[in-house]
């Protein structure tokens, strides 16, 4: 029962996918509602990603609340203040390598934070059925595949990193709130996203950035781990389809049906960047540097997303070639964004624009 007038609480809306999702929403002619972006602004949150949205809709259909999803008082107050009827929960610690070095934040935000949001939704909605809690999750909860086979919605969970274990726990909590309390929920498990505003610690933006700076390109292990890549806008359209048509209590896999070994992907990126910067085709390939493998590194991810295609009519619209081209172009045109994200200077921007109000 999606309403075009919905008041949507988007948690983690200043991050990579969350900010792309807010941009996507405001481009939809059938969305006339409002968005409350609730974000703690960790190192990964950057309000500058949304400056055009703030300019056009700020204080009207777009509201920002700085807060931690683990803060139950603040979360409940936001539900009450805005009359939230839809939650899209992106907020998370999202980087596998960071979870290996320091899992505590992952347990806190991903598990305790999701629990806190669920409790606030349950109390605020008090049995309403015209509401929805959508939880954004990952294919990493399913563990690692061999050379064949795919993750299906009913594949057993087998997480291997503190990150994926914390996401698995949060998925189970969301599902439990549906079965136990009848809270209207949906869950999506998506493969690797790429596109604009991706924090430059993740493979694709890190490689583009390192090429720009003529730095080594660290490839973990033998480089033959496989990931399935989806352009971020196609993830956003899948989530929007679930909000509009998803069955309560159901899980939907989302993927690009686009498997690449890391080394093949890095080689392809080297060629695209070289072409755009008018360098010889192999110019950046000499920077490729095999480094120690990530502990517990999942070998292969591959998604079967027939359910969302057949039941909700979703399909991806951006080919990998087009998506990579748009992504590389975006980073090369936004080097200042990268500098600011890395330097933390955007925090001053936040203070100037938000905390002073
Ligand atoms: P991101 O790290 O870019 O952004 C996370 C956002 O959450 C940031 O804005 C951060 O400030 C905010 N945040 C972190 N802790 C918070 C807290 N305690 N309270 C409020 N806000 C908090 O992450 P992303 O890549 O955009 O991922 C978003 C979601 O999608 C995550 O739940 C992730 O597990 C899931 N996901 C990501 C991918 C991917 O490829 N990036 C794929 C599938 C699923
Ligand atoms: O599958 C969905 C997941 O994709 C999301 O749930 C996570 O939030 C998101 O970060 C992403 O996780 P990955 O671990 O797959 O992404 P990352 O970009 O960190 O790594 C992609 C692959 O590249 C992985 O096999 C590890 C490898 N890698 C990564 C980095 C950062 C390298 O070889 N070198 C690197 O420097």
């Amino acid at each position: 029962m999606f309403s075009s007038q919905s008041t949507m609480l988007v948690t983690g809306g200043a991050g990579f996918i969350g900010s792309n999702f807010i941009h996507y929403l405001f481009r939809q002619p059938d969305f006339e509602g409002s968005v409350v972006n609730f974000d703690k602004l960790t190192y990964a949150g950057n309000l500058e990603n949304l400056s055009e949205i703030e300019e056009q809709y700020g204080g009207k259909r777009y509201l920002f609340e700085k807060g931690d999803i683990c803060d139950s008082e603040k979360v409940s107050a936001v539900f009450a203040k805005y009359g939230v009827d839809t939650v899209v929960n992106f907020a998370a610690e999202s980087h596998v390598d960071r979870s290996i070095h320091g899992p505590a934040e992952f347990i806190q935000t991903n598990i305790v934070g999701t629990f806190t949001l669920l409790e606030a939704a349950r109390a605020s909605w008090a049995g309403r059925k015209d509401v929805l809690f959508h939880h954004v999750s990952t294919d990493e909860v399913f563990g690692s595949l061999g050379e064949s086979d795919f993750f299906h919605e009913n594949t057993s969970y087998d997480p291997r990193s503190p990150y994926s274990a914390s996401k698995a726990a949060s998925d189970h909590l969301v599902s439990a709130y549906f079965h136990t309390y009848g809270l209207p929920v949906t869950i999506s498990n998506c493969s690797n996203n790429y596109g604009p505003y991706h924090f430059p610690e993740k493979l694709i933006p890190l490689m583009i950035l390192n090429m720009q700076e003529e730095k080594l390109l660290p490839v973990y292990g033998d480089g033959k781990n496989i990931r399935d890549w989806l352009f971020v806008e196609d993830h956003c359209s899948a989530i929007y389809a679930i909000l509009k048509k998803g069955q309560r209590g159901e899980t939907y896999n989302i993927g690009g049906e686009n498997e690449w070994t890391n080394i093949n992907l890095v080689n392809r990126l080297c060629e695209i960047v070289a072409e755009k910067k008018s360098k010889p085709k192999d110019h950046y390939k000499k920077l490729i540097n095999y480094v120690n493998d990530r502990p517990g590194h999942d070998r292969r991810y591959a998604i079967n997303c027939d359910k969302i295609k057949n039941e909700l009519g979703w399909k991806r619209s951006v080919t990998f070639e087009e998506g990579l081209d748009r992504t590389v172009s975006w980073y090369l045109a936004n080097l200042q964004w990268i500098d600011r994200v890395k330097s933390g200077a955007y925090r001053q921007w936040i203070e100037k624009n938000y905390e002073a109000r």
Side-chain angles (χ1 to χ4, degrees):
M1 285 146 297
F2 175 80
S3 153
S4 60
Q5 305 292 330
S6 173
T7 301
M8 209 178 283
L9 179 66
V10 176
T11 70
F16 163 47
I17 308 175
S19 60
N20 274 285
F21 181 71
I22 293 173
H23 278 280
Y24 176 86
L25 260 187
F26 281 108
R27 286 198 301 271
Q28 302 315 301
D30 62 350
F31 179 70
E32 295 162 353
S34 50
V35 171
V36 182
N37 174 10
F38 187 87
D39 199 299
K40 184 179 172 183
L41 301 178
T42 67
Y43 78 97
N46 182 0
L47 283 178
E48 200 182 332
N49 300 356
L50 291 160
S51 50
E52 291 150 24
I53 297 288
E54 170 65 33
E55 227 166 80
Q56 204 176 339
Y57 302 103
K60 296 176 287 226
R61 293 177 59 204
Y62 171 74
L63 300 313
F64 174 70
E65 290 277 351
K66 184 175 176 189
D68 186 334
I69 57 166
C70 302
D71 178 346
S72 59
E73 254 179 54
K74 173 95 188 179
V75 170
S76 300
V78 164
F79 267 82
K81 179 174 171 188
Y82 296 103
V84 170
D85 56 42
T86 307
V87 173
V88 186
N89 182 28
F90 291 100
E93 287 294 334
S94 68
H95 191 36
V96 174
D97 293 335
R98 283 181 190 255
S99 83
I100 295 166
H101 295 295
E105 279 295 306
F106 288 72
I107 305 305
Q108 198 57 27
T109 286
N110 299 1
I111 306 178
V112 178
T114 302
F115 162 72
T116 307
L117 281 172
L118 285 165
E119 278 291 275
R122 184 163 79 93
S124 165
W125 290 341
R128 275 175 67 183
K129 296 296 171 207
D130 60 337
V131 289
L132 178 65
F133 188 110
H134 179 72
H135 181 61
V136 180
S137 192
T138 168
D139 60 355
E140 301 205 5
V141 297
F142 299 122
S144 188
L145 290 167
E147 281 178 18
S148 54
D149 207 3
F150 295 88
F151 297 135
H152 292 76
E153 281 79 2
N154 58 4
T155 300
S156 299
Y157 275 29
D158 186 18
R160 311 294 182 91
S161 71
Y163 163 69
S164 53
S166 67
K167 291 297 290 186
S170 66
D171 293 8
H172 288 317
L173 280 168
V174 175
S175 178
Y177 271 63
F178 173 74
H179 291 290
T180 305
Y181 303 114
L183 191 78
V185 308
T186 44
I187 299 173
S188 52
N189 295 90
C190 187
S191 59
N192 285 60
N193 286 213
Y194 68 100
Y197 308 118
H198 205 179
F199 197 85
E201 64 188 351
K202 310 281 168 53
L203 181 72
I204 289 181
L206 180 75
M207 295 295 146
I208 299 170
L209 179 60
N210 282 12
M211 283 180 231
Q212 169 65 20
E213 296 176 353
E214 301 273 344
K215 284 189 185 155
L216 292 175
L217 308 175
V219 172
Y220 298 164
D222 64 3
K224 294 198 177 133
N225 298 65
I226 292 174
R227 294 291 180 269
D228 169 57
W229 293 94
L230 180 70
F231 192 61
V232 62
E233 271 174 35
D234 282 330
H235 187 187
C236 297
S237 69
I239 292 171
Y240 196 51
I242 295 169
L243 299 185
K244 291 200 287 189
K245 295 182 271 183
Q247 286 285 328
R248 279 33 182 172
E250 289 293 314
T251 286
Y252 296 90
N253 277 357
I254 306 168
E257 299 177 304
N258 175 40
E259 293 179 47
W260 283 71
T261 62
N262 293 334
I263 187 61
N264 285 349
L265 172 53
V266 171
N267 271 309
R268 184 70 198 111
L269 276 172
C270 287
E271 290 170 4
I272 296 173
V273 176
E275 197 185 321
K276 289 197 184 292
K277 291 175 71 75
S278 305
K279 303 270 189 198
K281 191 175 177 192
D282 287 344
H283 178 80
Y284 294 109
K285 292 184 183 172
K286 63 180 185 297
L287 296 174
I288 291 175
N289 182 32
Y290 287 95
V291 297
N292 287 342
D293 209 353
R294 169 188 279 175
H297 196 178
D298 290 333
R299 192 65 174 169
R300 173 172 170 260
Y301 299 149
I303 283 264
N304 177 302
C305 52
D306 287 350
K307 180 174 170 180
I308 189 166
K309 290 200 294 188
N310 295 337
E311 293 183 13
L312 307 189
W314 172 83
K315 61 177 182 354
R316 72 164 195 179
S317 62
V318 180
T319 65
F320 197 44
E321 275 305 301
E322 182 196 340
L324 278 186
D325 191 80
R326 281 169 66 178
T327 303
V328 171
S329 296
W330 187 87
Y331 278 95
L332 296 182
N334 287 279
L335 293 169
Q336 284 178 333
W337 177 88
I338 296 175
D339 283 345
R340 284 196 292 273
V341 166
K342 279 173 50 195
S343 72
Y346 72 88
R347 295 203 174 278
Q348 291 157 17
W349 186 89
I350 289 162
E351 279 160 26
K352 192 165 141 252
N353 286 281
Y354 284 91
E355 290 173 1
R357 289 201 306 205

Coordinates of all heavy atoms in Angstrom, one line a residue, residues 19-73:
S19 N 22.3 8.3 -0.6 CA 22.2 9.6 -1.3 C 21.8 9.4 -2.7 O 20.9 10.1 -3.2 CB 23.5 10.3 -1.2 OG 24.6 9.6 -1.8
N20 N 22.2 8.3 -3.4 CA 21.7 8.0 -4.7 C 20.2 7.7 -4.7 O 19.5 8.1 -5.6 CB 22.5 6.8 -5.3 CG 23.8 7.2 -6.0 OD1 23.8 7.8 -7.1 ND2 24.9 7.0 -5.3
F21 N 19.8 7.0 -3.6 CA 18.4 6.7 -3.5 C 17.5 8.0 -3.4 O 16.5 8.1 -4.0 CB 18.1 5.8 -2.4 CG 16.7 5.3 -2.2 CD1 16.1 4.5 -3.1 CD2 15.9 5.8 -1.2 CE1 14.8 4.1 -3.0 CE2 14.6 5.5 -1.0 CZ 14.0 4.6 -1.9
I22 N 18.0 8.9 -2.6 CA 17.2 10.2 -2.4 C 17.2 10.9 -3.7 O 16.1 11.4 -4.1 CB 17.8 11.0 -1.2 CG1 17.6 10.2 0.1 CG2 17.2 12.4 -1.2 CD1 18.2 10.8 1.3
H23 N 18.3 11.0 -4.4 CA 18.3 11.6 -5.8 C 17.3 10.9 -6.7 O 16.5 11.6 -7.4 CB 19.7 11.5 -6.4 CG 20.6 12.6 -6.0 ND1 20.6 13.9 -6.5 CD2 21.6 12.6 -5.1 CE1 21.5 14.6 -5.9 NE2 22.2 13.8 -5.0
Y24 N 17.3 9.6 -6.6 CA 16.4 8.8 -7.5 C 14.9 9.1 -7.1 O 14.1 9.3 -8.0 CB 16.7 7.3 -7.3 CG 15.8 6.4 -8.0 CD1 16.0 6.0 -9.4 CD2 14.6 5.9 -7.4 CE1 15.2 5.2 -10.1 CE2 13.7 5.1 -8.1 CZ 14.0 4.7 -9.4 OH 13.1 3.9 -10.1
L25 N 14.6 9.1 -5.8 CA 13.2 9.3 -5.4 C 12.7 10.6 -6.0 O 11.6 10.7 -6.5 CB 13.2 9.4 -3.9 CG 12.8 8.2 -3.1 CD1 12.6 8.7 -1.6 CD2 11.5 7.6 -3.6
F26 N 13.5 11.7 -5.8 CA 13.0 13.0 -6.2 C 12.9 13.1 -7.8 O 12.3 14.1 -8.3 CB 13.8 14.1 -5.6 CG 13.5 14.4 -4.2 CD1 14.3 14.0 -3.1 CD2 12.2 15.0 -3.9 CE1 13.9 14.3 -1.8 CE2 11.8 15.2 -2.6 CZ 12.7 14.9 -1.5
R27 N 13.4 12.2 -8.5 CA 13.3 12.2 -9.9 C 12.0 11.4 -10.4 O 11.6 11.4 -11.5 CB 14.5 11.5 -10.6 CG 15.7 12.4 -10.7 CD 16.7 11.9 -11.7 NE 17.1 10.5 -11.5 CZ 18.2 10.1 -10.8 NH1 18.9 11.0 -10.2 NH2 18.5 8.9 -10.7
Q28 N 11.4 10.7 -9.4 CA 10.2 9.9 -9.8 C 8.9 10.7 -9.8 O 8.5 11.3 -8.8 CB 10.0 8.7 -8.8 CG 11.2 7.8 -8.7 CD 11.8 7.4 -10.0 OE1 11.1 6.9 -10.9 NE2 13.1 7.8 -10.3
P29 N 8.3 10.7 -11.0 CA 7.1 11.6 -11.1 C 5.9 11.1 -10.1 O 5.1 11.9 -9.8 CB 6.6 11.4 -12.5 CG 7.6 10.5 -13.2 CD 8.7 10.1 -12.2
D30 N 6.0 9.8 -9.8 CA 4.9 9.3 -8.9 C 5.2 9.4 -7.4 O 4.5 8.9 -6.6 CB 4.5 7.9 -9.3 CG 5.6 6.9 -9.1 OD1 6.8 7.3 -8.9 OD2 5.4 5.7 -9.2
F31 N 6.3 10.1 -7.1 CA 6.6 10.3 -5.7 C 6.4 11.8 -5.4 O 7.2 12.6 -5.9 CB 8.1 9.9 -5.3 CG 8.4 10.1 -3.9 CD1 7.8 9.4 -2.9 CD2 9.2 11.1 -3.5 CE1 8.0 9.6 -1.5 CE2 9.5 11.4 -2.2 CZ 8.9 10.6 -1.2
E32 N 5.4 12.0 -4.5 CA 5.1 13.4 -4.2 C 5.3 13.7 -2.7 O 4.9 14.7 -2.2 CB 3.6 13.7 -4.6 CG 3.4 13.7 -6.1 CD 1.9 13.5 -6.4 OE1 1.1 13.4 -5.5 OE2 1.6 13.6 -7.6
G33 N 5.8 12.7 -2.0 CA 5.9 12.7 -0.5 C 7.2 13.4 -0.1 O 7.8 14.2 -0.8
S34 N 7.5 13.1 1.2 CA 8.7 13.8 1.7 C 9.7 12.8 2.3 O 9.3 11.6 2.6 CB 8.3 14.8 2.8 OG 7.5 14.2 3.7
V35 N 10.9 13.2 2.4 CA 12.0 12.3 2.8 C 12.7 13.0 4.1 O 13.1 14.1 4.0 CB 13.1 12.2 1.7 CG1 14.3 11.5 2.2 CG2 12.5 11.5 0.5
V36 N 12.8 12.2 5.1 CA 13.6 12.6 6.3 C 14.9 11.7 6.2 O 14.9 10.5 6.4 CB 12.9 12.3 7.6 CG1 13.7 12.8 8.8 CG2 11.5 12.9 7.6
N37 N 16.0 12.4 6.0 CA 17.3 11.7 5.9 C 17.9 11.7 7.4 O 18.2 12.8 7.9 CB 18.2 12.5 5.0 CG 19.6 11.9 5.0 OD1 19.9 10.9 5.5 ND2 20.5 12.7 4.3
F38 N 18.0 10.5 7.9 CA 18.5 10.4 9.3 C 19.9 9.8 9.3 O 20.0 8.6 8.9 CB 17.5 9.5 10.1 CG 17.8 9.4 11.6 CD1 17.3 10.4 12.5 CD2 18.6 8.4 12.1 CE1 17.6 10.3 13.8 CE2 18.9 8.3 13.4 CZ 18.4 9.3 14.3
D39 N 20.9 10.5 9.6 CA 22.2 10.0 9.4 C 23.2 10.5 10.5 O 23.1 11.7 10.9 CB 22.7 10.5 8.0 CG 23.9 9.7 7.5 OD1 25.0 9.7 8.2 OD2 23.8 9.0 6.5
K40 N 24.0 9.7 10.9 CA 25.0 10.0 12.0 C 26.2 10.8 11.4 O 26.9 11.4 12.2 CB 25.5 8.7 12.6 CG 26.4 8.9 13.8 CD 26.8 7.4 14.3 CE 27.9 7.5 15.4 NZ 28.3 6.1 15.8
L41 N 26.3 10.8 10.1 CA 27.5 11.4 9.5 C 28.8 10.9 10.0 O 29.6 11.6 10.6 CB 27.4 13.0 9.6 CG 26.1 13.6 8.9 CD1 26.1 15.1 9.1 CD2 26.0 13.2 7.5
T42 N 29.0 9.6 9.8 CA 30.2 9.0 10.1 C 31.2 9.4 9.0 O 30.8 10.2 8.1 CB 30.1 7.4 10.1 OG1 29.9 7.0 8.8 CG2 29.0 7.0 11.1
Y43 N 32.4 8.8 9.0 CA 33.3 9.1 7.9 C 32.7 8.9 6.5 O 33.1 9.5 5.5 CB 34.6 8.2 8.1 CG 34.4 6.8 7.5 CD1 34.7 6.5 6.3 CD2 33.7 5.9 8.3 CE1 34.5 5.2 5.8 CE2 33.4 4.6 7.9 CZ 33.8 4.3 6.6 OH 33.6 3.0 6.1
A44 N 31.7 8.0 6.5 CA 31.1 7.6 5.2 C 29.9 8.5 4.8 O 29.5 8.4 3.6 CB 30.7 6.2 5.2
G45 N 29.5 9.3 5.7 CA 28.3 10.2 5.4 C 28.7 11.6 4.9 O 29.6 12.2 5.6
N46 N 28.2 12.0 3.9 CA 28.6 13.3 3.3 C 27.4 14.0 2.7 O 26.8 13.7 1.7 CB 29.6 13.0 2.2 CG 30.1 14.2 1.5 OD1 29.8 15.3 1.9 ND2 31.0 14.0 0.5
L47 N 27.0 15.1 3.4 CA 25.8 15.8 3.0 C 26.0 16.5 1.7 O 25.0 16.9 1.1 CB 25.3 16.8 4.1 CG 24.6 16.2 5.3 CD1 24.3 17.2 6.3 CD2 23.4 15.5 4.9
E48 N 27.2 16.7 1.3 CA 27.5 17.4 0.1 C 26.9 16.6 -1.1 O 26.5 17.1 -2.1 CB 29.0 17.5 -0.1 CG 29.4 18.6 -1.1 CD 30.9 18.6 -1.2 OE1 31.6 18.3 -0.3 OE2 31.3 19.0 -2.3
N49 N 26.7 15.3 -0.9 CA 26.1 14.4 -1.9 C 24.7 14.9 -2.3 O 24.2 14.5 -3.3 CB 26.0 13.0 -1.5 CG 27.4 12.3 -1.1 OD1 28.4 13.0 -1.3 ND2 27.4 11.1 -0.6
L50 N 24.1 15.6 -1.3 CA 22.7 16.0 -1.5 C 22.5 17.5 -1.6 O 21.4 18.0 -1.4 CB 21.9 15.4 -0.3 CG 21.9 13.9 -0.2 CD1 21.6 13.4 1.2 CD2 20.8 13.4 -1.2
S51 N 23.6 18.2 -1.9 CA 23.4 19.7 -1.9 C 22.4 20.2 -2.9 O 21.6 21.1 -2.6 CB 24.8 20.4 -2.1 OG 25.4 19.8 -3.2
E52 N 22.2 19.5 -4.0 CA 21.2 19.9 -5.0 C 19.8 19.7 -4.5 O 18.9 20.4 -4.7 CB 21.4 19.2 -6.3 CG 22.6 19.6 -7.1 CD 23.1 18.5 -7.9 OE1 22.3 17.6 -8.3 OE2 24.3 18.5 -8.2
I53 N 19.7 18.5 -3.8 CA 18.4 18.2 -3.2 C 18.0 19.2 -2.1 O 16.9 19.7 -2.0 CB 18.4 16.7 -2.6 CG1 18.7 15.7 -3.7 CG2 17.1 16.4 -1.8 CD1 17.5 15.5 -4.7
E54 N 19.0 19.5 -1.3 CA 18.8 20.5 -0.2 C 18.3 21.8 -0.8 O 17.4 22.4 -0.3 CB 20.1 20.6 0.6 CG 20.1 21.7 1.6 CD 19.1 21.6 2.8 OE1 18.8 20.4 3.2 OE2 18.6 22.6 3.2
E55 N 19.0 22.2 -1.9 CA 18.7 23.5 -2.5 C 17.3 23.5 -3.0 O 16.5 24.5 -2.8 CB 19.6 23.7 -3.7 CG 20.3 25.0 -3.8 CD 21.4 25.0 -4.8 OE1 21.1 25.0 -6.0 OE2 22.6 24.8 -4.4
Q56 N 16.9 22.4 -3.6 CA 15.6 22.4 -4.3 C 14.4 22.1 -3.3 O 13.3 22.7 -3.4 CB 15.6 21.4 -5.4 CG 14.5 21.7 -6.5 CD 14.6 20.7 -7.7 OE1 15.7 20.1 -7.9 NE2 13.6 20.6 -8.4
Y57 N 14.7 21.1 -2.4 CA 13.5 20.6 -1.6 C 13.7 20.9 -0.1 O 12.8 20.5 0.7 CB 13.3 19.1 -1.8 CG 13.1 18.8 -3.3 CD1 14.1 18.2 -4.0 CD2 11.8 19.0 -3.8 CE1 13.9 17.8 -5.4 CE2 11.6 18.6 -5.2 CZ 12.6 18.1 -5.9 OH 12.4 17.7 -7.2
G58 N 14.9 21.4 0.3 CA 15.2 21.5 1.7 C 14.2 22.3 2.5 O 13.7 23.3 2.0
G59 N 13.8 21.8 3.7 CA 12.8 22.4 4.6 C 11.4 22.2 4.1 O 10.5 22.6 4.8
K60 N 11.3 21.6 2.9 CA 9.9 21.4 2.4 C 9.7 19.9 2.3 O 9.2 19.2 3.2 CB 9.7 22.1 1.0 CG 9.8 23.6 1.1 CD 9.7 24.3 -0.2 CE 11.0 24.1 -1.0 NZ 11.6 25.2 -1.6
R61 N 10.2 19.3 1.2 CA 10.0 17.8 1.0 C 11.2 17.1 1.4 O 11.2 15.8 1.4 CB 9.6 17.5 -0.4 CG 8.2 18.0 -0.8 CD 7.9 17.7 -2.3 NE 8.0 16.3 -2.5 CZ 8.2 15.8 -3.8 NH1 8.4 16.6 -4.8 NH2 8.2 14.5 -3.9
Y62 N 12.3 17.8 1.8 CA 13.5 17.1 2.2 C 14.0 17.7 3.5 O 14.2 18.9 3.6 CB 14.7 17.2 1.1 CG 16.0 16.7 1.7 CD1 16.3 15.4 1.8 CD2 17.0 17.6 2.1 CE1 17.5 14.9 2.3 CE2 18.2 17.2 2.6 CZ 18.4 15.8 2.7 OH 19.6 15.4 3.2
L63 N 14.1 16.8 4.5 CA 14.5 17.2 5.9 C 15.7 16.4 6.3 O 15.7 15.2 6.0 CB 13.4 17.0 6.9 CG 12.0 17.7 6.7 CD1 12.2 19.2 6.4 CD2 11.1 17.0 5.7
F64 N 16.6 17.0 7.0 CA 17.8 16.3 7.5 C 17.8 16.3 9.0 O 17.6 17.3 9.6 CB 19.1 16.9 7.0 CG 20.3 16.2 7.6 CD1 20.6 14.9 7.2 CD2 21.1 16.8 8.5 CE1 21.7 14.2 7.8 CE2 22.1 16.2 9.1 CZ 22.4 14.9 8.8
E65 N 18.0 15.1 9.6 CA 18.1 15.0 11.0 C 19.4 14.2 11.3 O 19.6 13.1 10.9 CB 17.0 14.2 11.7 CG 15.7 14.9 11.6 CD 15.5 15.8 12.8 OE1 16.3 15.9 13.7 OE2 14.5 16.6 12.8
K66 N 20.4 14.9 12.0 CA 21.6 14.2 12.4 C 21.3 13.4 13.6 O 20.8 13.9 14.6 CB 22.7 15.2 12.7 CG 24.0 14.5 12.9 CD 25.2 15.5 13.1 CE 26.4 14.7 13.5 NZ 27.5 15.5 13.9
G67 N 21.6 12.1 13.5 CA 21.4 11.2 14.6 C 21.9 9.8 14.4 O 22.2 9.4 13.3
D68 N 21.9 9.0 15.5 CA 22.5 7.7 15.5 C 21.3 6.7 15.6 O 20.4 6.9 16.5 CB 23.4 7.5 16.7 CG 24.1 6.2 16.8 OD1 23.6 5.2 16.2 OD2 25.2 6.2 17.4
I69 N 21.2 5.7 14.7 CA 20.1 4.8 14.8 C 20.1 4.0 16.1 O 19.1 3.3 16.3 CB 20.0 3.9 13.5 CG1 21.3 3.1 13.3 CG2 19.6 4.7 12.3 CD1 21.1 1.9 12.3
C70 N 21.1 4.0 16.8 CA 21.2 3.3 18.1 C 20.5 4.2 19.2 O 20.3 3.7 20.3 CB 22.6 3.0 18.5 SG 23.4 2.0 17.3
D71 N 20.2 5.4 18.9 CA 19.7 6.4 20.0 C 18.2 6.3 20.0 O 17.5 7.0 19.2 CB 20.2 7.8 19.6 CG 19.7 8.9 20.6 OD1 18.8 8.6 21.3 OD2 20.3 10.0 20.5
S72 N 17.6 5.5 20.8 CA 16.2 5.2 20.8 C 15.3 6.4 21.0 O 14.3 6.6 20.3 CB 15.8 4.0 21.7 OG 16.1 4.4 23.0
E73 N 15.8 7.3 21.9 CA 15.0 8.5 22.1 C 14.9 9.4 20.9 O 13.8 9.8 20.5 CB 15.7 9.4 23.2 CG 14.9 9.3 24.5 CD 15.6 10.1 25.6 OE1 15.9 11.3 25.4 OE2 15.9 9.5 26.6

